Amino acid sequence: MKAKTNWQPVCTVADLVPDSGIAVWTEDGPVAVFYLPHRLPALFAISHSDPFSGANVLARGITGDIQGEPVVASPLYKQHFSLRTGRCLEDDTVSVRVYPVLLDGDRIRLEVPVAQADSVAA
Amino acid sequence: MSKQTLIVIGNGMVGHHFLEQFAQSPAAAAFDVRVFGEEKQHAYDRVHLSEYFTGSTHSDLAMGTEDWYREHGITLHLSEPVTAIDRDAQVVTTPDGVYPYDQLVLATGSYPFVPPIAGNDQDGCFVYRTLEDLDAIRDSANGARTGVVVGGGLLGLEAANALKSLGLEAHVVEFAPRLMPVQLDDQGGALLRQKIEDLGVQVHTEKATTAIVKGRSARLRMTFSDDTDLETDLIVFSAGIRPQDTLARACGLDVGERGGIVIDNRCTTSDPRIHAIGECALWNQRIFGLVAPGYTMARTLSAALNGDSGAAFTGADMSTKLKLLGVDVGSIGDAHAQTPGARNIRFHDEQAGHYRRLVISQDGKHLLGAILVGDNGPYDTLLQYALNGITLPANPEALILPDSGDAPALGADALPDTASICSCHNVTKGDICGALDAGCTDLAGVKAETRASTGCGGCAALLKKVVDSELEKRGVAVSTDLCEHFPHTRQELFHLVKVNGIRTFRGLLKQYGRGQGCDICKPTVASILATCWNDHILATDHVPLQDTNDTFMANMQKNGTYSIVPRIPGGEITPDKLIVLGEVARDYNLYTKITGGQRVDLFGATLGELPEIWERLIAAGFETGHAYGKSLRTVKSCVGSTWCRYGVQDSVGMAIFLENRYKGLRSPHKIKMAVSGCTRECAEAQSKDIGVIATDKGWNLYVCGNGGMRPRHADLFATDLSDEQLVQAIDRVLMFYVRTADRLQRTSVWMENLEGGLEYLKQVVLEDSLGIGAELEQHMADLVGTYQCEWKTAVEDPEKRKRFREFVNAPERKDPVQQWTSERGQRRPVLEVVSES
Ligand code: SRM
Ligand SMILES: Cc1cc2nc3c(=O)[nH]c(=O)nc-3n(C[C@H](O)[C@H](O)[C@H](O)COP(=O)(O)OP(=O)(O)OC[C@H]3O[C@@H](n4cnc5c(N)ncnc54)[C@H](O)[C@@H]3O)c2cc1C
Ligand code: SF4
Ligand code: FES
């Protein structure tokens, strides 16, 4: 069955930093939201947690593109994660969770699984 | 037609090299090949045996793999020593069987000579040759306090170093009056001894051990012929090697009277079906105790077995260059001037601890030999002169005198095609050119093709020089692109930014790049922009360019928290400021440590806490220490003339001045400096990018040193400078570095890659040969003038402070993965890696 989700508002456009990321708290834990004004779509959200270190730091990485793929580089050990798929470019056995983003007025909403006892979401 | 059988006895370095050569030769098809090895493991790199103590495993050291043997149809018998050779029946015998051969190769190497001393066979006595030996030494070392090496030769000193690395108090006992009697003369030996004793290894020369008995304070006691004695827990014998020729003797092959299996130029013994290579072979009354000659024999034999009538071993160069306990030692050719009429030029700098001796032919035209102790800098050049009979300059002493400007640097071009570049794999300059003509386009390609510098590695620097200069000749554009987004070097980008007055990454990307950029080019460009315009690194355009450490102006730690390193110029701090540091650390529960850079590091601040903490530090008069930036880190100082009875200048004052002048300077890599108040050099200035040492006339300037991964001593750049001259020279060196170096290139690597190296840098800086001196100084002056403490600007600007919210929508939330435990009275992170996928 699909986990129940809702579109949680997490921040406003004013909070975003162009070409960079910010961290927000969601019902699904820490999430990194990126704003790349020079491409479409311009908003991306992936887990804030760096799978290689376990630390919540991905929002603080440097963004860019590798072979056209929008990526953020982990600030700790520099692996690149695709902002679209969450896949790690250096090690395809590793990936981070991706969250659908939506711009609603000047509010940013993320689709996150509803935190509840029987939630199947990780 | 049935195949013949080739048997190789001995699976060591040379035996393996022979098989590599033979397996890829035409003759391989005609033979079944069997190899017998006495050791448990297949061939490994004995040259780097000692690394076994510093973490390397057999597979790290292994040469080839057992699969490689299988793939090439070579049957490998390990732990199966050959016990006899029957030349009439043409069979070899092992404990497990009898095997016929048509061709037999002896590559049995040598064994360590253990002097006939009563008691030399008891527990705690070892030799240093195989992995098994090292295992045994390691076992016996734990619980032990002291270790003695018998033999002060090349291997002995290496063994002593190993004992040291095992935490033992190491002694070296040498029979001869000096260390390394074979390679060095008295002066060189004495200097080496002094340096090694400074490192805490005790040297005892002219000691003949008479007996080894049980000890009182330690496991063993050695007694010497002069009635002295020495107590130790273990003893390693390294008193020379003896060729392993037992089998050859037993089956009646010719052997030398001091041992060694006699071979001819084709590496064949007195029995035409039996050959010998490596350390077990005696050629022309000589044994070769180095790997390179063994490899040459291996290649010769392989060629001979392939019917190459020209194949001949014609001796080998025994020059050696090594680092023993971190001390450079080099010995080239006829080091002891045994050639009739040979003349000597000696240079001994007792202060710098350098000894250099040139042995020159009677007519003064050619270099016959050389000895170097303390600094192998000139080695490569000298070796080329000696090996290739290149005519010496009129003033040969210039080759060994320190920074005598006219030292004729022997450029790669000066070398003849026959010049041997890599002696391990016998690669000449000609071979390298061949590889390049055959299509290699870079160093890696040439290495793979010729195997140059894949042996002892000693030739790496020279190889790069040759390859680079040859590529240049061929007009091959070596890709120096910064990354996929910019087809330019850092230096080119710097130029573009400056001349076109470009002030943003976007602007540069639009004009000269493609794509969106990445974590390589963004910080690089950020650093360039900072150097050119000195805008605040948190100016909105620059924020997304910075490494997290630069963005948040602190070093990120493994759990996502940050460390804080306030600047403490010259390491001088008032008690009041020290107290503030303590209070802040206590209030925010920060792990506190004195760094290696004479200042204090406070670890464990969360993103949110950074601005508050800095507010307090700034209020107390602190500034950022740029521990996060590729920029000036610290200027270490010693207490100097104000207090120290030896100090001749105010080293603290100068250190503080320099640190305040260059703080904030953005550069390709970190910059470190130090100022010592006298030649005792307590501030370790010679290990810094910029090192200043006081003299009674002023300051000596050293440049381009560093510790870290590849330590390098700084080079003496200028002497007895006044304060003004000193600052002018440093301004120019630094600004020239910042403008021309590659990304993440420390000053040492930068300087080594400058065409013309140190001399060129001196011309640019001291003689202003490019006429840019004034411009460099002006640029530096502008930067010094516009310096601002990034943290001060940041905490004062609410917009910038917004960046420091851990979670923008939940200010009060603590990061859940930041768990703490306490250790030695302070807290530290607990954090186990969670790898989701
Ligand atoms: C804190 C300190 C260790 C300590 O507890 O003493 C330290 C800590 C770090 N060093 Fe260091 N180094 C520290 C002194 C040194 C020294 C000794 C010295 O400076 O006298 C060296 C060798 C000398 C030299 O650099 O020439 C040193 C050689 C390195 C290197 C290797 C550089 C090289 O060229 O090989 C790195 C890696 C790099 O920079 O690429 C490094 C990198 C680092 C980093 C920044 C690694 C990182 O990115 O996390 C560490 C973070 C510091 C932090 O979180 O605040 N650190 N590091 C020292 C801070 C000195 C200071 O006050 O600023
Ligand atoms: C600690 C150390 C440091 C060194 N550093 C350097 C250096 O810096 N530069 C340099 O050029 N050289 C160095 N050497 C010397 C170098 O290792 C030797 O020159 C090289 O290993 C010689 O190769 P080899 O094959 O002739 O002998 P080995 O590598 O010793 O191989 C001989 C093999 O034959 C086996 N064997 C012997 N008898 C039999 C038998 N009857 N049946 C089966 N197998 C047998 C032995 O067990 C051994 O494995 C160093 C040596 C040591 C020990
Ligand atoms: S370097 Fe000289 S002045 Fe400085 S502390 Fe050492 S001895 Fe004293
Ligand atoms: S000289 Fe040893 S690898 Fe080249």
Side-chain angles (χ1 to χ4, degrees):
Chain A
M1 78 168 201
K2 186 178 185 307
K4 284 183 65 234
T5 64
N6 76 28
W7 285 92
Q8 181 184 350
V10 290
C11 63
T12 71
V13 174
D15 294 316
L16 297 171
V17 183
D19 287 309
S20 186
I22 56 165
V24 298
W25 186 269
T26 74
E27 294 162 27
D28 198 34
V31 173
V33 181
F34 298 91
Y35 173 39
L36 307 188
H38 303 276
R39 60 185 307 142
L40 277 172
L43 289 174
F44 303 87
I46 66 175
S47 164
H48 187 32
S49 169
D50 168 16
F52 292 92
S53 61
N56 288 315
V57 295
L58 288 188
R60 301 176 221 160
I62 294 180
T63 64
D65 65 348
I66 303 287
Q67 312 290 327
E69 182 73 4
V71 295
V72 63
S74 161
L76 273 170
Y77 302 116
K78 313 297 177 200
Q79 297 90 350
H80 297 89
F81 298 91
S82 161
L83 295 178
R84 294 187 311 115
T85 65
R87 198 172 44 82
C88 171
L89 271 54
E90 283 75 16
D91 175 351
D92 49 22
T93 67
V94 178
S95 67
V96 295
R97 185 178 190 121
V98 184
Y99 299 85
V101 201
L102 131 99
L103 182 59
D104 159 9
D106 75 341
R107 265 184 309 163
I108 315 292
R109 290 176 179 273
L110 302 184
E111 185 181 24
V112 293
V114 182
Q116 56 184 30
D118 66 343
S119 164
V120 294
Chain B
M1 161 207 135
S2 82
K3 286 190 173 182
Q4 300 197 41
T5 305
L6 173 92
I7 288 184
V8 179
I9 306 180
N11 186 221
M13 296 188 78
V14 172
H16 176 80
H17 191 76
F18 166 77
L19 290 168
E20 281 188 333
Q21 302 295 319
F22 188 74
Q24 47 183 263
S25 74
F31 286 90
D32 288 320
V33 183
R34 277 183 192 289
V35 187
F36 294 92
E38 188 174 32
E39 295 185 66
K40 287 202 298 294
Q41 311 87 342
H42 71 271
Y44 54 87
D45 179 355
R46 210 175 298 283
V47 171
H48 295 100
L49 187 66
S50 298
E51 291 172 14
Y52 190 59
F53 278 152
T54 54
S56 295
T57 64
H58 168 258
S59 47
D60 297 329
L61 296 173
M63 308 178 66
T65 61
E66 302 206 7
D67 289 339
W68 180 88
Y69 284 86
R70 235 172 275 114
E71 285 154 19
H72 292 77
I74 301 171
T75 321
L76 184 58
H77 301 255
L78 292 178
S79 330
E80 188 176 349
V82 170
T83 51
I85 301 170
D86 181 334
R87 290 164 54 193
D88 308 320
Q90 286 185 33
V91 297
V92 302
T93 312
T94 79
D96 308 355
V98 176
Y99 307 83
Y101 67 82
D102 299 287
Q103 297 288 336
L104 181 62
V105 178
L106 295 161
T108 49
S110 54
Y111 62 90
F113 167 66
V114 178
I117 301 168
N120 64 10
D121 54 356
Q122 54 194 309
D123 291 358
C125 295
F126 305 93
V127 294
Y128 200 81
R129 178 95 195 166
T130 65
L131 290 172
E132 264 185 337
D133 297 335
L134 269 61
D135 284 327
I137 292 172
R138 186 190 268 130
D139 294 345
S140 141
N142 66 58
R145 247 184 49 256
T146 51
V148 170
V149 174
V150 178
L154 193 153
L155 292 187
L157 294 178
E158 179 157 345
N161 191 30
L163 293 186
K164 224 164 137 270
S165 71
L166 288 172
L168 300 185
E169 169 194 323
H171 297 254
V172 173
V173 173
E174 167 59 48
F175 178 75
R178 64 165 181 271
L179 294 172
M180 296 186 68
V182 186
Q183 294 86 354
L184 300 183
D185 57 11
D186 290 337
Q187 261 172 295
L191 178 58
L192 177 62
R193 174 192 188 134
Q194 175 202 329
K195 283 176 172 283
I196 286 178
E197 287 182 330
D198 292 346
L199 291 163
V201 175
Q202 306 188 34
V203 178
H204 317 264
T205 48
E206 288 179 279
K207 289 266 181 215
T209 315
T210 47
I212 301 170
V213 297
K214 292 260 160 291
R216 291 193 210 81
S217 61
R219 292 180 198 147
L220 301 169
R221 179 151 106 264
M222 311 172 68
T223 58
F224 305 112
S225 54
D226 58 7
D227 299 327
T228 56
D229 57 26
L230 177 61
E231 298 240 329
T232 177
D233 295 312
L234 61 96
I235 299 173
V236 176
F237 290 101
S238 180
I241 54 168
R242 296 286 182 272
Q244 180 49 275
D245 56 11
T246 330
L247 291 170
R249 284 177 190 280
C251 69
L253 291 175
D254 293 355
V255 293
E257 69 272 12
R258 273 192 272 83
I261 309 166
V262 176
I263 58 167
D264 60 19
N265 289 3
R266 298 172 67 77
C267 302
T268 300
T269 68
S270 51
D271 178 330
R273 291 179 173 279
I274 306 184
H275 320 276
I277 52 178
E279 284 189 342
C280 63
L282 181 73
W283 177 87
N284 223 336
Q285 299 303 317
R286 289 182 68 188
I287 292 285
F288 296 89
L290 294 176
V291 69
Y295 282 0
T296 312
M297 293 182 194
R299 283 188 299 271
T300 310
L301 178 59
S302 174
L305 291 172
N306 277 275
D308 169 351
S309 54
F313 177 76
T314 53
D317 168 57
M318 294 295 281
S319 303
T320 35
K321 158 180 154 190
L322 12 89
K323 235 188 188 13
L324 292 164
L325 301 115
V327 181
D328 278 351
V329 178
S331 173
I332 294 175
D334 179 12
H336 294 296
Q338 278 145 353
T339 318
R343 299 195 275 118
N344 292 293
I345 302 177
R346 286 197 175 82
F347 166 74
H348 189 171
D349 179 341
E350 297 192 342
Q351 190 189 72
H354 296 166
Y355 173 67
R356 297 165 179 177
R357 171 183 180 179
L358 293 186
V359 179
I360 293 183
S361 62
Q362 194 157 20
D363 60 11
K365 282 202 166 54
H366 299 292
L367 184 66
L368 303 173
I371 292 177
L372 299 173
V373 177
D375 172 21
N376 273 341
Y379 182 91
D380 291 349
T381 305
L382 293 178
L383 185 65
Q384 292 306 324
Y385 273 103
L387 291 184
N388 305 306
I390 299 172
T391 322
L392 286 167
N395 55 337
E397 63 279 6
L399 292 169
I400 51 170
L401 291 180
D403 63 86
S404 50
D406 49 357
L410 193 50
D413 283 357
L415 299 176
D417 272 6
T418 54
S420 155
I421 304 304
C422 172
S423 47
C424 284
H425 293 287
N426 181 29
V427 182
T428 63
K429 182 179 169 191
D431 301 333
I432 293 168
C433 300
L436 291 170
D437 297 332
C440 291
T441 54
D442 59 5
L443 190 59
V446 173
K447 275 186 175 176
E449 181 63 28
T450 64
R451 315 203 42 211
S453 108
T454 59
C456 74
C459 60
L462 183 59
L463 179 68
K464 187 179 182 319
K465 262 218 214 120
V466 173
V467 171
D468 289 352
S469 89
E470 286 303 317
L471 280 174
E472 210 164 289
K473 273 217 206 102
R474 289 166 174 66
V476 176
V478 193
S479 169
T480 51
D481 295 3
L482 184 59
C483 66
E484 69 176 69
H485 304 99
F486 287 98
H488 296 282
T489 62
R490 182 187 183 277
Q491 184 177 353
E492 290 162 355
L493 289 176
F494 189 101
H495 191 70
L496 294 170
V497 167
K498 193 117 186 93
V499 296
N500 301 315
I502 297 172
R503 284 180 162 269
T504 66
F505 176 78
R506 277 277 144 209
L508 188 65
L509 192 65
K510 258 212 219 71
Q511 265 181 281
Y512 298 100
R514 55 180 101 92
Q516 303 294 314
C518 67
D519 53 312
I520 304 289
C521 53
K522 283 181 169 180
T524 308
V525 172
S527 149
I528 293 174
L529 293 170
T531 315
C532 290
W533 318 121
N534 220 17
D535 299 340
H536 192 282
I537 59 170
L538 287 196
T540 37
D541 292 339
H542 301 185
V543 169
L545 307 180
Q546 308 288 352
D547 239 328
T548 186
N549 287 355
D550 280 286
T551 311
F552 299 106
M553 300 179 293
N555 291 76
M556 181 184 279
Q557 306 300 315
K558 56 196 289 189
N559 66 346
T561 61
Y562 289 85
S563 73
I564 296 175
V565 189
R567 189 165 293 290
I568 300 179
E572 180 187 83
I573 185 167
T574 62
D576 289 343
K577 282 180 130 183
L578 208 45
I579 288 166
V580 172
L581 286 182
E583 287 169 347
V584 170
R586 184 195 56 213
D587 296 355
Y588 288 87
N589 193 1
L590 303 172
Y591 168 81
T592 306
K593 182 180 181 305
I594 306 293
T595 73
Q598 293 191 340
R599 45 188 190 175
V600 181
D601 203 340
L602 310 173
F603 293 80
T606 64
L607 191 56
E609 289 167 341
L610 287 175
E612 314 164 20
I613 293 176
W614 272 106
E615 251 167 353
R616 284 184 56 175
L617 293 174
I618 289 164
F622 285 102
E623 291 185 323
T624 177
H626 297 101
Y628 44 83
K630 296 289 173 242
S631 55
L632 177 72
R633 292 291 168 87
T634 64
V635 182
K636 269 172 98 161
S637 78
C638 76
V639 60
S641 55
T642 1
W643 292 89
C644 177
R645 63 198 160 122
Y646 295 117
V648 293
Q649 304 280 354
D650 176 9
S651 44
V652 178
M654 179 53 76
I656 293 174
F657 173 81
L658 293 176
E659 184 153 351
N660 283 323
R661 178 170 182 82
Y662 300 115
K663 65 190 175 189
L665 173 68
R666 285 300 191 271
S667 51
H669 206 315
K670 64 175 80 170
I671 302 172
K672 297 181 177 181
M673 309 188 183
V675 183
S676 281
C678 85
T679 67
R680 288 163 190 74
E681 240 288 69
C682 304
E684 300 170 305
Q686 286 165 101
S687 69
K688 300 301 179 204
D689 300 276
I690 298 288
V692 179
I693 301 179
T695 70
D696 39 20
K697 294 187 216 52
W699 307 98
N700 284 356
L701 173 60
Y702 291 76
V703 300
C704 304
N706 60 251
M709 293 169 251
R710 194 178 61 93
R712 181 187 188 283
H713 275 138
D715 292 301
L716 181 59
F717 193 70
T719 55
D720 297 326
L721 302 173
S722 68
D723 293 8
E724 296 68 27
Q725 292 168 318
L726 178 68
V727 172
Q728 181 188 52
I730 299 177
D731 274 1
R732 292 182 177 188
V733 173
L734 285 183
M735 198 40 78
F736 192 51
Y737 163 64
V738 169
R739 287 185 173 200
T740 59
D742 266 334
R743 137 173 205 283
L744 292 189
Q745 211 172 35
R746 287 291 291 263
T747 52
S748 57
V749 185
W750 164 69
M751 192 266 279
E752 284 160 6
N753 289 329
L754 283 178
E755 191 58 50
L758 183 65
E759 288 317 315
Y760 174 71
L761 186 57
K762 280 183 180 166
Q763 287 154 16
V764 173
V765 171
L766 302 176
E767 291 145 42
D768 197 6
S769 58
L770 300 181
I772 56 171
E775 178 190 343
L776 295 175
E777 288 166 44
Q778 187 51 50
H779 189 175
M780 184 61 81
D782 298 344
L783 291 181
V784 173
T786 53
Y787 169 82
Q788 45 180 326
C789 169
E790 298 147 9
W791 263 115
K792 189 162 185 306
T793 329
V795 294
E796 287 166 356
D797 176 341
E799 266 312 302
K800 292 194 169 75
R801 282 184 80 140
K802 280 174 63 184
R803 285 292 287 157
F804 294 86
R805 294 175 297 176
E806 189 99 48
F807 302 107
V808 299
N809 60 340
E812 295 323 313
R813 277 253 185 220
K814 287 259 159 288
D815 182 334
V817 301
Q818 289 167 12
Q819 307 289 341
W820 304 96
T821 163
S822 123
E823 186 170 67
R824 293 184 297 278
Q826 299 199 65
R827 77 172 183 169
R828 68 165 181 77
V830 278
L831 184 116
E832 70 289 348
V833 176
V834 293
S835 193
E836 53 185 63
S837 41

